[in-house]
Amino acid sequence: MKGREQAGARTVARTATSEPVAVAPPATWQAYPNPFREQVTVRFTLAETQAVTVRVLDSQGRAITTLGQEEAQANQPYELEWQAGKQPAGMYLLQLQTPTHQYTQKLLLTK
């Protein structure tokens, strides 16, 4: 049900709704431990079946490595690991990208 009120020179529209609708996020993900010393584990689940790429970038946004690139099934948990090896200590970016969304999380590598 919509109603309109005249408030001075502007029109205000109101919309009546029943209950809030819960919308599942397109992806849930976490990286742990963070900060990390040698290895970080990445877990993610997508709400829809779609292509996904998980990359590690340096602090300037340059790709260091691709941890995974595949079609991920909806509601299926995935786990990837990054062995930092000889990478220098510092901040890195973990990027999870699908055709419709891109997520980025900071990672801190300590030595």
Side-chain angles (χ1 to χ4, degrees):
M1 172 184 281
K2 291 184 180 180
R4 293 192 181 272
E5 292 180 1
Q6 191 70 19
R10 61 187 177 130
T11 301
V12 178
R14 282 190 258 171
T15 304
T17 59
S18 52
E19 295 180 25
V21 177
V23 177
T28 57
W29 72 314
Q30 64 177 347
Y32 64 92
N34 191 16
F36 70 103
R37 288 184 182 254
E38 297 173 6
Q39 173 183 310
V40 64
T41 301
V42 180
R43 286 187 178 171
F44 68 92
T45 303
L46 301 179
E48 298 177 7
T49 297
Q50 58 189 317
V52 63
T53 302
V54 180
R55 292 185 190 97
V56 176
L57 312 173
D58 67 13
S59 61
Q60 302 300 311
R62 294 178 297 242
I64 300 294
T65 189
T66 298
L67 300 179
Q69 187 170 12
E70 63 185 280
E71 175 136 320
Q73 299 300 308
N75 303 312
Q76 174 72 38
Y78 290 86
E79 184 172 298
L80 304 169
E81 293 180 350
W82 179 40
Q83 300 282 339
K86 297 182 180 182
Q87 294 295 328
M91 187 189 75
Y92 292 85
L93 301 171
L94 178 64
Q95 181 185 74
L96 185 147
Q97 185 169 356
T98 69
T100 57
H101 292 86
Q102 178 175 299
Y103 306 91
T104 305
Q105 180 178 341
K106 293 178 185 177
L107 297 175
L108 184 61
L109 172 59
T110 61
K111 293 285 183 164

